[in-house]
Amino acid sequence: MTDTGWRPVKRTRTFEDVLAQIERRIVEDGLTAGDRLPAERQLAEQLGVGRSSVREAMRVLETLGVVSSQVGRGPDAGAVLTSRPDTALTDLLRLHLGLASLELREVIDTRLMIERWAADRAATARADTSALAAALAAMASASSAEEFVEHDTAFHCALADASGNRLIAAIMRSLRDSMRRYAVEAVDRLGDTSVLQADHARILAAVGAGDAAEAARAVTEHLAHAYPSLFPPMP
Amino acid sequence: MTDTGWRPVKRTRTFEDVLAQIERRIVEDGLTAGDRLPAERQLAEQLGVGRSSVREAMRVLETLGVVSSQVGRGPDAGAVLTSRPDTALTDLLRLHLGLASLELREVIDTRLMIERWAADRAATARADTSALAAALAAMASASSAEEFVEHDTAFHCALADASGNRLIAAIMRSLRDSMRRYAVEAVDRLGDTSVLQADHARILAAVGAGDAAEAARAVTEHLAHAYPSLFPPMP
DNA sequence: ACCACAGTATGGTCAGACCATAGCGGATGC
DNA sequence: GCATCCGCTATGGTCTGACCATACTGTGGT
């Protein structure tokens, strides 16, 4: 029962070693998006491992949105460092929603939190609102729920972008992407999108006017309109 | 320039097909954490692909915190569905911080946003504060910056847990894990942790008293104390 | 009833082969 | 001289088959 001083032998899979070495190289050499990694075969030989282990490490890095693999030959071929945290986050959320280890309520609450913050920031910073206005206009001419949600997503992602925080923007994009199905259902259930469009216009106006408090309020009420079942009218 | 009607042939790698089918099975069969996936060889045969493709799909799922592979034999061996979104998020953030595609400022801003929200929620819900109190006590007897940060992390994660939102809690845990290095530096720079400890006590008290506004204020000031360079004193 | 040991299903790894892709570069024709 | 074509080659993608380490299963002996 007492500590014998023995520790279980750390079982490090080969690809994890490869992963660690690649990460070390990224940090130490200061590699950034656009830089190339050695070819799989070359890396395998240099590290003294099989190509499959290198491939599994690459697969992990690709899943995390850090590298992108291109076949063929030339400067763009091979494993190139990228910066796509949002696709990785999207997959993460979608799978865990499917696994029921996350509930829609939790995702929407998170979205509300982020969006209030982003609206506040964007308004305070007097951010450029042209992308917001463009999405708003596109929404007005949407002819289906799918199309509406498409531009609605663009609007809200533009709001997150306007906050100036890329992590927030990436999380927002992922939340929207993984929720697309539920958003379309919500719009279908509502039937009429005029309330939502008015909300959007109000958000845009508040951000444009630099009124942070009003922007946050507008966002909050907008989500309550879109998901009335999750935000019951307060007494 | 105009649309010719031609679409680029979708290049679907085999492992992506495998991935899609596994995901479909998870959703359609309602699989959840604890359930087992077929063995790699069996899956490969049933899908008519090589084992390596199945392995790469497994690697992706493992990276996303959805499955966990165990060697050996028996009920616990093989690929078992799990629910570890936080480890996946941690890797994601750490790598992107290393890649310099995210800045520390963005991460800390995100943390402040989350923590204010969590404190508000925990206070409003009158959540159980025993985990917070335990971490606070442990911090008081810490003898090194590393140890202090360890319990500090526990405190803040407990706060996120108390919000009742697992996604928020997972993001919080990941933010802290990927920032550990910087947190230790910050504590070292401060030298004295008494201010931070007083902040923690204030947060705990506010949550315990159900004072949401005060809890959010306390959290905000706490982060300003911990990272004075990022939150310059307002005029 | 217990224990030791062979059996076996599992993931982990490697080696080698072949394919598809796409840029590179020399050969060819004008 | 220039443009075009076509083979070469480096790259990732995939499959096969083999072998190893691990850890449970079941059997047989005590």
Side-chain angles (χ1 to χ4, degrees):
Chain A
M1 199 51 214
T2 58
D3 190 331
T4 58
W6 294 100
R7 290 283 174 275
V9 174
K10 177 69 160 74
R11 187 171 73 93
T12 305
R13 291 122 105 196
T14 307
F15 84 89
E16 291 175 324
D17 262 344
V18 176
L19 214 41
Q21 294 215 34
I22 293 177
E23 183 175 353
R24 193 167 58 82
R25 286 295 273 270
I26 290 177
V27 174
E28 291 185 357
D29 297 359
L31 303 182
T32 58
D35 294 335
R36 260 184 75 176
L37 255 40
E40 290 180 359
R41 291 173 175 82
Q42 188 183 339
L43 211 44
E45 192 187 4
Q46 288 180 355
L47 295 174
V49 301
R51 195 181 154 205
S52 52
S53 294
V54 172
R55 279 186 65 76
E56 295 195 12
M58 290 296 182
R59 201 58 62 224
V60 171
L61 292 175
E62 196 179 310
T63 302
L64 292 174
V66 169
V67 310
S68 162
S69 295
Q70 307 290 330
V71 296
R73 186 177 166 162
D76 288 353
V80 179
L81 288 178
T82 58
S83 179
R84 306 199 165 281
D86 38 3
T87 58
L89 271 171
T90 300
D91 292 340
L92 182 71
L93 289 176
R94 194 188 61 249
L95 278 162
H96 280 95
L97 272 171
L99 252 182
S101 61
L102 287 177
E103 288 168 20
L104 187 58
R105 170 70 201 230
E106 294 171 303
V107 175
I108 299 207
D109 270 352
T110 305
R111 183 186 150 194
L112 176 57
M113 169 187 74
I114 288 181
E115 207 143 6
R116 284 179 59 108
W117 186 89
D120 184 296
R121 276 297 173 100
T124 303
R126 294 277 191 159
D128 175 33
T129 57
S130 56
L132 290 169
L136 185 60
M139 246 182 293
S141 60
S143 58
S144 68
E146 283 79 10
E147 199 182 335
F148 181 84
V149 167
E150 195 67 30
H151 296 118
D152 178 73
T153 299
F155 180 88
H156 291 281
C157 288
L159 182 60
D161 287 337
S163 78
N165 186 313
R166 287 169 293 178
L167 177 54
I168 296 290
I171 297 176
M172 184 70 210
R173 215 170 294 280
S174 309
L175 289 175
R176 290 297 308 221
D177 284 343
S178 59
M179 278 177 48
R180 168 164 293 135
R181 193 160 63 84
Y182 308 98
V184 173
E185 284 175 12
V187 169
D188 271 335
R189 222 176 2 244
L190 274 178
D192 181 22
T193 61
S194 60
V195 174
L196 302 182
Q197 305 220 41
D199 286 343
H200 289 141
R202 183 179 162 203
I203 294 170
L204 173 59
V207 171
D211 188 342
E214 160 68 4
R217 264 197 310 277
V219 164
T220 305
E221 289 178 24
H222 173 53
L223 260 78
H225 291 152
Y227 298 94
S229 59
L230 291 182
F231 298 96
M234 297 294 284
Chain B
M1 194 54 208
T2 57
D3 191 330
T4 59
W6 293 99
R7 291 282 175 276
V9 174
K10 178 68 161 78
R11 185 172 72 93
T12 305
R13 291 122 107 197
T14 308
F15 82 89
E16 290 175 323
D17 262 344
V18 176
L19 215 39
Q21 294 215 35
I22 293 177
E23 183 175 353
R24 193 169 57 83
R25 285 295 274 270
I26 289 177
V27 174
E28 291 185 357
D29 297 0
L31 304 183
T32 58
D35 294 334
R36 260 184 76 175
L37 255 41
E40 289 180 1
R41 290 173 176 84
Q42 187 184 340
L43 210 44
E45 192 187 5
Q46 289 179 355
L47 296 174
V49 300
R51 194 181 154 207
S52 51
S53 294
V54 172
R55 280 186 64 77
E56 295 196 12
M58 291 296 183
R59 201 59 61 226
V60 171
L61 292 174
E62 196 178 311
T63 302
L64 292 174
V66 168
V67 310
S68 162
S69 294
Q70 307 290 331
V71 297
R73 185 177 168 166
D76 288 352
V80 179
L81 289 178
T82 58
S83 178
R84 306 198 165 282
D86 38 3
T87 59
L89 270 171
T90 300
D91 292 340
L92 182 72
L93 290 175
R94 195 188 61 248
L95 278 163
H96 280 94
L97 272 171
L99 252 183
S101 62
L102 286 178
E103 290 167 19
L104 187 57
R105 171 70 201 230
E106 294 171 302
V107 175
I108 300 217
D109 269 353
T110 305
R111 185 188 147 192
L112 175 57
M113 169 187 75
I114 288 180
E115 207 143 5
R116 283 179 59 108
W117 186 89
D120 184 296
R121 277 298 172 98
T124 303
R126 295 278 189 155
D128 175 32
T129 57
S130 54
L132 290 170
L136 184 60
M139 248 182 291
S141 59
S143 56
S144 68
E146 283 79 10
E147 199 182 335
F148 181 84
V149 167
E150 195 66 32
H151 296 119
D152 178 72
T153 299
F155 180 88
H156 291 281
C157 289
L159 182 60
D161 287 337
S163 78
N165 186 312
R166 287 169 294 178
L167 177 54
I168 296 290
I171 297 177
M172 184 70 211
R173 215 171 292 280
S174 309
L175 289 175
R176 290 298 309 220
D177 284 344
S178 59
M179 280 178 48
R180 170 165 291 135
R181 193 160 63 83
Y182 309 98
V184 173
E185 282 174 12
V187 169
D188 272 335
R189 223 176 2 247
L190 274 180
D192 180 23
T193 61
S194 61
V195 174
L196 302 183
Q197 305 220 41
D199 286 342
H200 288 141
R202 182 179 161 203
I203 295 170
L204 173 57
V207 171
D211 187 342
E214 160 67 5
R217 264 198 310 276
V219 164
T220 305
E221 290 178 23
H222 173 54
L223 261 79
H225 291 153
Y227 299 95
S229 59
L230 291 181
F231 298 96
M234 297 296 282

